[in-house]
Amino acid sequence: MTSTEKNQLAGDHADRRTVGKKAYHHGDLRAALIEATRQLVEEKGPDSFSVSQACKLAGVSTAAPYKHFKDKNEMLVAAVLEGMGRHRKNMLAALESIPEGSPERITAIGMEYIAFALNEPGIFRLKFGGFTDRIADPRLEEGGQQSFGILLSEVAKCLGEPEITDEVRRRGFLLWSFVHGLSFILRDHGLAEKGEKFDLHDLLEDVSERMLS
């Protein structure tokens, strides 16, 4: 994967630095705090996140978060849920111009999955780094199933199945496992550079066609 491809997937998020304060001044305190949480998770990691830092970034008092969240974990959960929502929206948008039943739709989902991992590495690692296992919030599991359900629905269409069968789930899991692992590898430049250069889209296209044949 070339540096240009990584930069294109990663995108430019510099303009998000002021979103928190702007949202709060427009009266949306909860949204401002979630955005501040997202920014801090991306910059410092979830382990270094603090409520006081989020308040400072959003431009509110340290008492403000407790109007919407009972503690730090609830703020992190809200940030993860919003990130998952953005991820699902982007996956569905990527499918709009591709004919149903085409393996290219699976490739497009894979590209969006990796883009999410590269664009929002903090939220991505928060979702898959053990945090959600420690937090008993059914919305996290539900959100994950909704995202996986998009993939399963597309796999079923490619296989000509009218519903989600065991075989659809098996192949969907294989596809997800490959892209999920690749996402972590691409986040680690040392690991990524040990392999040969490759075109990411071509790679995912090859894997999609093989697993759906």
Side-chain angles (χ1 to χ4, degrees):
M1 182 181 185
T2 66
S3 59
T4 300
E5 286 178 313
K6 292 178 183 177
N7 291 336
Q8 288 175 338
L9 284 173
D12 183 6
H13 295 276
D15 59 342
R16 291 188 178 182
R17 287 292 308 173
T18 60
V19 171
K21 291 184 179 181
K22 286 183 179 179
Y24 173 62
H25 289 315
H26 281 82
D28 195 344
L29 173 60
R30 186 175 188 277
L33 288 168
I34 293 174
E35 174 57 17
T37 299
R38 184 201 66 77
Q39 289 184 19
L40 291 171
V41 166
E42 296 299 343
E43 294 174 6
K44 301 176 180 295
D47 293 335
S48 299
F49 168 79
S50 73
V51 175
S52 60
Q53 287 177 327
C55 292
K56 182 177 180 180
L57 185 58
V60 301
S61 72
T62 54
Y66 301 103
K67 296 178 181 179
H68 298 281
F69 310 99
K70 69 178 182 181
D71 55 24
K72 167 183 173 179
N73 282 340
E74 278 204 353
M75 293 175 70
L76 289 171
V77 167
V80 172
L81 289 172
E82 288 217 348
M84 294 168 72
R86 286 190 297 275
H87 183 204
R88 289 193 297 274
K89 181 179 178 180
N90 289 340
M91 284 195 294
L92 292 172
L95 299 177
E96 289 181 355
S97 61
I98 306 173
E100 288 196 359
S102 168
E104 178 60 26
R105 290 170 74 91
I106 304 299
T107 301
I109 289 175
M111 291 291 289
E112 285 300 331
Y113 194 95
I114 292 173
F116 176 55
L118 298 182
N119 288 342
E120 303 190 46
I123 296 297
F124 185 79
R125 289 185 180 275
L126 190 60
K127 173 67 178 75
F128 295 107
F131 169 75
T132 56
D133 293 333
R134 303 193 303 269
I135 304 300
D137 191 318
R139 294 175 298 171
L140 293 171
E141 175 63 22
E142 180 182 352
Q145 290 300 324
Q146 288 175 356
S147 298
F148 189 46
I150 294 173
L151 173 61
L152 292 181
S153 177
E154 295 303 324
V155 171
K157 292 174 184 176
C158 287
L159 297 179
E161 295 288 351
E163 58 185 19
I164 308 301
T165 63
D166 289 343
E167 182 61 16
V168 168
R169 289 187 178 280
R170 186 183 74 84
R171 297 201 196 195
F173 179 77
L174 290 173
L175 287 161
W176 174 80
S177 297
F178 177 85
V179 175
H180 184 70
L182 182 59
S183 296
F184 274 100
I185 290 174
L186 292 176
R187 284 306 310 166
D188 186 329
H189 298 290
L191 285 176
E193 291 170 1
K194 289 180 181 178
E196 296 181 0
K197 291 184 178 180
F198 57 87
D199 181 273
L200 181 59
H201 182 275
D202 288 349
L203 176 64
L204 294 183
E205 187 175 56
D206 185 28
V207 170
S208 298
E209 290 177 352
R210 289 173 183 270
M211 291 192 179
L212 293 171
S213 64

